[in-house]
Amino acid sequence: MEKEQKADIVALSIGILAACLFCLGYFLCGTDGYVVFHDQLDGEVMNYIYQAKYFFSGSDVIPEFMNGMLKSSMTVPAPIGILFYLCLPPFYAFAVMHLFVLIVGYIGFYLLLKKITKNPIIATCVSCLFIYLPFYSVYGLAIYGQPLLIWALWQIYDSGKIKIRYLLCVLLYAISSSLALIGYAWVGILLLVIAVLAIRKKDCKGLIVAWCVMTGTYVVTNINLIMTFLGGNDAAYRNHREEMVVSAIDNIIGYGIGIFFKGVSYSFSYNMIITLLAGAIIVIYPIIKKVIRKEKMNGYYWGITCMFVANTILTGFATLWHMRPVVNMRNNAGGFIKTFQLDRITWILPMSWYIILALCIMLLLREIKKKAVGNILAGLLLLLVGMIVLKNSTAVDGMKYMLKPDAHEQMSWDDFYAPDVYQQIDAFIGEDKASYRTVSLGLPPAAALYNGFYCLDGYSNFYSLEYKHQFRKIIAKELEKSEEVRLYFDEWGNRCYLLNAETGNYMMLDKYNTGTYKQLELDVEQLKSMGAKYIFAGIKIENADSLGLELLREEPFATEESYYGVWLYKIRE
């Protein structure tokens, strides 16, 4: 037992060290360090910041966001994340939250793999690979925490008792993940497991309690969104998702293959080597074991086979959800069925593939007679998978940027939010920010929002359909010029931005861009009616005068280090 405890302490130390190494750039470089901005800085981080800011307000409205939108329009994907943003400045809240999910992810996977393999070395190596996959930390434990959830549920079932420490693990997962993104899958899977056990007359009281804890937590933490969705906050409330049009994927076979061998956005697992190895084992191993050697099959083989089949089924469901006949059915059905992202069940696949990797290694170690040969093969396999993981890991990008910032064109926190630039603009305007509204053109509205400006535009997964219609009037003529941009706004619309035919939906114009808006057509009267007074533009607007806009300074607001150069326009009275 003492030897096992020492192994666990060493493994835990290695995992914490690996997690700290991943996040080293945050703490050494601060806000000048590399950060993946897409769907983090432009969306979810802002949700955490403003949910924390108004956490104790008692109000259902966030006044700075989209002209005073409901809190449900800024729902966070991991409610526990609000705690970090309540206690720390935004950047360090982001950094510490990332470190937290990495450590919890490692501990959970180590405990699960050790329970499965009884091999702390394999559990340590594979767990390190798992946490270096390029998942987004803003989604909390949605992916990282799944191993801990499975381990806790397994412990509850094995013990036959309701133990608080395991229920706390279930609670931790539920408050650190999203019901809409992946929670629904685990609620459904656990309910199915309970039903099967009940039919087989197995004791499942502990799992029933765990299911109630998980489901209850999801309901409590998503109550604003649930009430808004059901019309409880406002019976007349309609959200913009009602007008969404889901598009089928033309190359559906390629999409399915991509999921199976690589994963999908937000849950890339880069598992081609694992998949090919597992497939080869499933086919070849029985021939060697049963036909040639006439021996009993190893239990690890059945684990590999069952999980491989399960992954195939999950991939099939996710692919089916995007096939044209199914997509047509969803669009015709409307409502929840149309916009429900069933394909997010693929967020289970990374954990599953890396469990398969551990099982494959254990099978090789058990079946290869020469121990040295087995160890070498296992080491080479881990090295090969590790090289693929590191090649695609954001940790490596962060390290490269930290060591040679000038040699890598990566975006930092300060590059994206540009606090120095927006402080200049605030000082130049010299008015109380609450007294006027702004919109951004060719720039991410999140940058203005982060710096405390009250914005008409924004990025939201769930906001008022009436507001979308009001905002559309501003850009109606620009949408007529570009079918691509029109479809982007009308049939999706999560980004309620000043989309236009000249720069499309690109909102990251840098200060070195020499282009200009030549024939921009915005409904300035509609802007004024919604309270807008200033426009932050990424490039100069040549026809500003004819639009009724006044350029307030003959050069953009910028600093030597800034990514943006912001042209400031005032809407004439």
Side-chain angles (χ1 to χ4, degrees), residues 33-52:
Y34 167 69
V35 179
V36 177
F37 69 87
H38 176 68
D39 276 355
Q40 294 205 109
L41 304 192
D42 61 345
E44 306 298 359
V45 167
M46 300 313 305
N47 294 350
Y48 285 116
I49 290 172
Y50 277 92
Q51 289 287 359

Side-chain angles (χ1 to χ4, degrees), residues 366-391:
R366 290 288 176 86
E367 293 299 330
I368 295 175
K369 302 301 182 183
K370 292 184 178 181
K371 188 176 180 181
V373 175
N375 289 338
I376 291 172
L377 285 176
L380 288 174
L381 178 59
L382 285 169
L383 180 62
L384 182 59
V385 175
M387 289 171 62
I388 295 171
V389 169
L390 289 177
K391 180 183 176 183

Side-chain angles (χ1 to χ4, degrees), residues 5-129:
Q5 289 176 344
K6 287 182 179 179
D8 288 343
I9 291 172
V10 171
L12 179 61
S13 300
I14 291 172
I16 293 175
L17 181 62
C20 290
L21 189 62
F22 194 125
C23 296
L24 188 62
Y26 296 149
F27 300 103
L28 290 183
C29 301
T31 53
D32 288 325
Y34 167 69
V35 179
V36 177
F37 69 87
H38 176 68
D39 276 355
Q40 294 205 109
L41 304 192
D42 61 345
E44 306 298 359
V45 167
M46 300 313 305
N47 294 350
Y48 285 116
I49 290 172
Y50 277 92
Q51 289 287 359
K53 180 177 180 178
Y54 292 101
F55 190 74
F56 299 107
S57 69
S59 171
D60 289 333
V61 172
I62 296 176
E64 292 94 333
F65 185 61
M66 296 176 75
N67 221 9
M69 200 60 66
L70 292 175
K71 278 186 175 180
S72 57
S73 65
M74 299 190 85
T75 299
V76 296
I80 199 173
I82 297 173
L83 180 62
F84 295 99
Y85 286 81
L86 280 169
C87 300
L88 297 167
F91 173 76
Y92 288 102
F94 176 86
V96 173
M97 181 175 172
H98 197 167
L99 183 61
F100 165 76
V101 298
L102 290 173
I103 291 174
V104 173
Y106 174 85
I107 292 172
F109 214 173
Y110 174 78
L111 291 172
L112 180 61
L113 289 182
K114 189 186 169 194
K115 186 176 180 69
I116 294 171
T117 67
K118 306 296 188 294
N119 188 317
I121 296 175
I122 300 303
T124 299
C125 294
V126 176
S127 297
C128 285
L129 293 178

Side-chain angles (χ1 to χ4, degrees), residues 149 153 170-171 173-174 183 186-187 190 209-219:
L149 174 66
L153 294 173
V170 175
L171 176 65
Y173 182 78
W186 287 113
V187 168
L190 182 54
V209 173
W211 183 87
C212 291
V213 168
M214 184 190 298
T215 306
T217 303
Y218 278 132
V219 170

Side-chain angles (χ1 to χ4, degrees), residues 48 78 81 89 92 138 142 197-198 216 223 314 316 326 339 359 361 386-387 398-399 407 415 424 460 511-512 541:
Y48 285 116
Y92 288 102
V138 291
L197 291 174
I223 192 64
L314 286 178
V326 177
T339 57
L359 293 175
I361 293 172
M387 289 171 62
M399 287 291 178
D415 285 337
Q424 288 181 24
S460 173
K511 65 184 178 185
Y512 301 110
I541 304 172

Side-chain angles (χ1 to χ4, degrees), residues 42-44 46-48 50-51 60-77 224-226 228-229 233 237-241 449 455-465 467 494 496:
D42 61 345
E44 306 298 359
M46 300 313 305
N47 294 350
Y48 285 116
Y50 277 92
Q51 289 287 359
D60 289 333
V61 172
I62 296 176
E64 292 94 333
F65 185 61
M66 296 176 75
N67 221 9
M69 200 60 66
L70 292 175
K71 278 186 175 180
S72 57
S73 65
M74 299 190 85
T75 299
V76 296
N224 283 336
L225 182 62
I226 293 171
T228 303
F229 182 80
N233 290 337
Y237 188 88
R238 297 175 63 195
N239 71 81
H240 82 287
R241 300 175 74 87
L449 185 63
C455 306
L456 296 186
D457 42 1
Y459 181 15
S460 173
N461 295 316
F462 193 91
Y463 67 96
S464 164
L465 179 62
Y467 188 83
N494 283 6
C496 191

Side-chain angles (χ1 to χ4, degrees), residues 414 417-425 451 559 561:
D414 277 352
Y417 288 129
D420 291 347
V421 174
Y422 284 92
Q423 284 169 14
Q424 288 181 24
I425 296 172
N451 289 287
T559 66
E561 295 80 18

